[in-house]
Amino acid sequence: MKKLMRGLIAAVVAVLMIGGAAPAMSVSAAESSDTNLVDAKAAVAIEPTTGKILYAKNASSVLPIASMTKMLSIELVLDAIKSGKINWDDKVTLNNAIWELSQNRDLSNVPLRRDGSYSVRELYDASLIYSANAAMMLLAEKVAGSQEKFVSQMTAKLNSWGITDAKIVNVTGLNNSQLKDAKVPGTDDNAENEMSAKDMAQVAQHLLKDHPEVLKTTSIAKQTFRKGTSDAIDMENWNWMLKGLVSYDKNLPVDGLKTGTSDAAGDCFTGTVEKNGMRIITVILHANGDAKTRRFDQTKKLMTNVLENWKTMTLAEAGQGIKGYDSVKVNRGQSRTTPIAPSTKAVAVVPSNSSKQSLQYTYTPAKGVKKNTVEAPVKKGTTIAQLEVSAKGDNLGFVGSSASEGITLKTIKTDNKANFFVLIFRGIGDFFSNIF
C-alpha cells in the first residue's frame, strides 16, 4: 500500500511538472509584493527573450485593451509581408463603410479619400504612429479579404500562442458601436477587444521576436502622412515617452510600442525599453490619476523599478555545459555518459542581488529520457531536458511557451550503441564492482 501511495504521489508531481512547461493560458499569475507601485487596474513587466515576469498586478485579469489591439493586427500584416502575400508598395482602395469611418475625426484617423489609393507602407505607418483606425482596417482587408476573416486570423494566432481567454471582435480596438457599418457581422454592438496584461505582454513579445524591424516605426515621434499633398497631416505618436514628446525621459530610451484609449479601457500603454543590455516590456491597463500623462507616469515608475531590481545573468555560452547539468547517462552506449549543453546562449533573468550560487534549478527530462538516462544510440543534438532557472523566493513565473520551457539541454556529440562484447565485459565489471 505504501508503494502504491508513493507511486500516486509521484504521478501527481510529474503531471504538475509537465503542466508547468505548457504554453501560457488562463492561469493566474502570482502577484508582486509591491502591487501599490503601479496605480492602474492591471500591470505587468517581462523580459521578452526568456519571457520572465518581473512584475505583476492583476496580470491575469481580462480587461479592455483598446488600440493596443493593433500590435496583434500588425503582427499579421508583417507575417503577410514576410511570406510575400502582400508587398509594401501594394495599393489599397476603400469601401464606403471604411471611408465613412475615416471621416470621423473624433477617432484617431488620417484623412482618406473615397476614390483614393494608398500603399501598404503608408497605411502601416499611420496605424502604428497615429493609431489610425481606418488605415488599420484597410490593411486587414488587404491581408484577409474582409474584417471578419482577419478577426478569425487574429484569434487563431492567439490560440497558437496558448492565449485562449482573449476576446477579439474587431481589428482596431474601438468599441463596436463606433464602427457602424464596418462592424464584423455577428458581433455584439457594444463589444470591444479584451485581454489580460500578461497576454498583452506576450503579444508584444512575439511581435518583437518575429518582426524586430517594427521598432523602426514605433520609435518615430513625428511623421507627415502624404507629405507634399493636399491631404498631408502631421502625425504625432501617441506614445509620449519618445524623444521630443511630453513624457520623454532621457534615462528611459523607450522605442515602442502602442497606446490604447477607450471609455472602457481607460488609458493603456504597452511600452518597451532597452537599457544596460536588457530589454523589458511593460503593460499598463487602465491607468489611474488625473494627469493626461498618467499611463506614461505609471510606465515610468514600473520601468525604473524593474531596471533597478532585475538583471540578466549568463549561465553558459552555446555548447558549454552548465555545472551539475552537463552530462546524461547512456544505457548500452559506447560511453557511460555523454555531454549535454544548451544549443544557444543560456541566460537567466534574476533579481539584481542574485549570484549563480543562489539560483534554483528545475530539471525536467524530455520525452523518452528516464530521469537522467537515455537509451543508446543517441544522436548529436538530441533534446535531453529542460532546465528552468529561478532565484530563491521568486514565484512570478513566465509568459509564453518557449520561455516557460526554460533552457533546452541537448547532446553535443553522437554516442552509438556498444557492441555485444563491450556490454558483456561491462556487465561482468559492474557485477564484481557491486560485490566488493
Side-chain angles (χ1 to χ4, degrees), residues 192-211:
E192 62 184 84
N193 299 334
E194 297 179 358
M195 199 180 299
S196 70
K198 178 171 61 68
D199 290 341
M200 197 76 254
Q202 192 181 343
V203 170
Q205 177 193 26
H206 280 280
L207 181 59
L208 293 184
K209 179 183 177 182
D210 299 340
H211 307 289

Side-chain angles (χ1 to χ4, degrees), residues 74-261:
I74 290 297
E75 165 85 14
L76 294 178
V77 171
L78 291 174
D79 284 350
I81 290 171
K82 192 174 184 178
S83 69
K85 184 177 181 179
I86 64 172
N87 298 299
W88 287 115
D89 295 330
D90 287 350
K91 295 297 183 178
V92 185
T93 56
L94 286 71
N95 61 42
N96 197 59
I98 294 179
W99 173 76
E100 285 187 358
L101 181 76
S102 74
Q103 305 309 300
N104 186 349
R105 298 310 303 273
D106 290 334
L107 306 176
S108 185
N109 275 312
V110 291
L112 299 176
R113 294 182 179 271
R114 177 65 185 89
D115 58 351
S117 178
Y118 302 89
S119 72
V120 167
R121 168 65 75 180
E122 59 188 342
L123 294 173
Y124 168 86
D125 287 351
S127 298
L128 275 180
I129 297 170
Y130 205 52
S131 198
N133 291 290
M136 187 70 256
M137 295 176 78
L138 288 179
L139 288 175
E141 293 203 344
K142 178 65 177 177
V143 171
S146 71
Q147 305 295 308
E148 186 174 10
K149 290 179 180 178
F150 194 85
V151 166
S152 295
Q153 290 182 14
M154 293 167 74
T155 301
K157 176 66 79 171
L158 291 176
N159 290 342
S160 74
W161 294 337
I163 298 174
T164 59
D165 55 356
K167 181 174 77 173
I168 303 296
V169 296
N170 61 59
V171 309
T172 64
L174 291 172
N175 188 284
N176 261 357
S177 63
Q178 298 169 305
L179 296 175
K180 298 181 179 179
D181 292 341
K183 179 178 79 72
V184 172
T187 57
D188 186 271
D189 287 343
N190 294 301
E192 62 184 84
N193 299 334
E194 297 179 358
M195 199 180 299
S196 70
K198 178 171 61 68
D199 290 341
M200 197 76 254
Q202 192 181 343
V203 170
Q205 177 193 26
H206 280 280
L207 181 59
L208 293 184
K209 179 183 177 182
D210 299 340
H211 307 289
E213 69 275 13
V214 75
L215 291 174
K216 293 180 181 179
T217 304
T218 61
S219 60
I220 296 173
K222 296 179 181 180
Q223 184 171 294
T224 302
F225 179 76
R226 295 235 140 175
K227 188 174 183 180
T229 73
S230 59
D231 292 332
I233 180 175
D234 291 332
M235 301 186 296
E236 181 177 292
N237 203 313
W238 293 107
N239 172 9
W240 294 352
M241 294 188 77
L242 296 177
K243 188 175 182 179
L245 302 183
V246 65
S247 291
Y248 172 69
D249 183 337
K250 64 180 180 181
N251 295 313
L252 292 171
V254 170
D255 51 5
L257 280 162
K258 191 70 192 70
T259 58
T261 310

Side-chain angles (χ1 to χ4, degrees), residues 315-316 320-326 361 387:
L315 304 176
Q320 176 187 354
I322 297 174
K323 187 177 180 181
Y325 304 93
D326 53 4
Y361 296 86
L387 191 65

